Amino acid sequence: GENVEQHPSTLSVQEGDSAVIKCTYSDSASNYFPWYKQELGKGPQLIIDIRSNVGEKKDQRIAVTLNKTAKHFSLHITETQPEDSAVYFCGPGGGSNYKLTFGKGTLLTVNP
Amino acid sequence: DVKVTQSSRYLVKRTGEKVFLECVQDMDHENMFWYRQDPGLGLRLIYFSYDVKMKEKGDIPEGYSVSREKKERFSLILESASTNQTSMYLCASSLWTGSSYEQYFGPGTRLTVT
C-alpha cells in the first residue's frame, strides 16, 4: 500500500512570510496529488490539487509542485495570513482505486 | 452546494454498546469513506464503498463494520464499543470526474467511549 510522510508536523511563521509543506509518497502508480485544509471544528477541505502530467499549479497565494521522479510534492503558501492557520494534509492517490492516503498533517500557525 | 452530513457532532457511549454513526451525502456520489482522526496519526481509512452494497476494508477495519443500503447513506457500526475507539470520525464522499478524486468531508462526529 501507499506510504505517505508529511513534513514538518508543525510550522510557525510570521504573517507575510512563506510556508512550505512537503509530502513524500511511495506508490509510483499514484497520479493525483491534493492538499486539504482543516480548520478547527470542521472537516478537511480541498484547497489545491495536481495531476501527474503537470509539474506545478498555482491558485492565488497557494501553489503545489510535483516531482514525480523523486515521489514528492509540496504545498507553498505565500504572504501568509492569520486565517491560513489550520492543519494541512496531503493525500496522494488515484492509482488502482478511488482511495486517497493521507499524511499525518501539518499544524500551521501564522503569528500576527 | 455539496453537502455531507453526519448524524451527531458529539456522542458518548458506554463500553460494550453497539454504536451507529450515520453519514448522508446529497451529491449522488458513487464513493463513500469512513476515517478516524487521532492526534499525531492523521486521517486513517476504516472502510470505503464504491457502490451500493459494495464495501472494502481500509487500513484499520478491526472492530468496525459498515452498511450501504442506499447510494446516499453510509453507516459505520461499532459492534461492541471499546475505549480505544474514542476518536473523531469523519465521513467523506467522492465522484471520479475524469480529472479529480476530490473527497468532500462531513463535519465529523466526536465519539467518547467510557
Side-chain angles (χ1 to χ4, degrees), chain B residues 62-74:
Chain B
E62 296 79 17
Y64 304 94
S65 62
V66 290
S67 172
R68 193 165 180 204
E69 296 294 323
K70 292 185 178 181
K71 192 176 187 179
E72 66 270 20
R73 188 179 298 269
F74 192 36

Side-chain angles (χ1 to χ4, degrees), chain A residues 13-40:
Chain A
V13 300
Q14 290 298 122
E15 184 175 358
D17 287 352
S18 294
V20 181
I21 305 169
K22 183 176 178 180
C23 184
T24 304
Y25 62 97
S26 63
D27 189 353
S28 56
S30 292
N31 57 19
Y32 176 69
F33 307 95
W35 285 97
Y36 283 75
K37 176 183 181 183
Q38 185 178 27
E39 296 175 338
L40 204 59

Side-chain angles (χ1 to χ4, degrees), chain B residues 7-97:
Chain B
S7 50
S8 306
R9 290 302 302 269
Y10 300 93
L11 207 53
V12 180
K13 294 292 181 180
R14 293 200 178 275
T15 302
E17 280 193 80
K18 189 169 186 175
V19 181
F20 292 86
L21 302 183
E22 305 283 341
C23 175
V24 177
Q25 50 97 0
D26 65 358
M27 298 161 285
D28 201 35
H29 282 177
E30 300 289 339
N31 312 307
M32 295 188 75
F33 309 82
W34 274 107
Y35 296 89
R36 65 177 282 176
Q37 182 175 17
D38 300 288
L41 298 179
L43 301 170
R44 294 182 291 166
L45 182 64
I46 304 171
Y47 266 96
F48 66 105
S49 168
Y50 52 89
D51 200 353
V52 175
K53 298 194 178 182
M54 305 296 284
K55 61 188 179 187
E56 282 198 29
K57 293 179 180 179
D59 301 316
I60 52 164
E62 296 79 17
Y64 304 94
S65 62
V66 290
S67 172
R68 193 165 180 204
E69 296 294 323
K70 292 185 178 181
K71 192 176 187 179
E72 66 270 20
R73 188 179 298 269
F74 192 36
S75 302
L76 181 69
I77 304 159
L78 287 66
E79 294 289 342
S80 178
S82 64
T83 55
N84 62 11
Q85 292 178 309
T86 292
S87 186
M88 171 67 82
Y89 290 88
L90 289 160
C91 175
S93 70
S94 75
L95 177 68
W96 167 239
T97 65

Side-chain angles (χ1 to χ4, degrees), chain A residues 39 49 51 77 85 103 109:
Chain A
E39 296 175 338
D49 57 9
R51 296 294 307 276
I77 306 174
S85 296
T109 304

Side-chain angles (χ1 to χ4, degrees), chain A residues 50-57 64-68 73-74:
Chain A
I50 196 170
R51 296 294 307 276
S52 57
N53 56 349
V54 177
E56 183 177 2
K57 183 177 178 181
V64 55
T65 58
L66 171 65
N67 184 328
K68 207 152 193 290
F73 62 111
S74 297

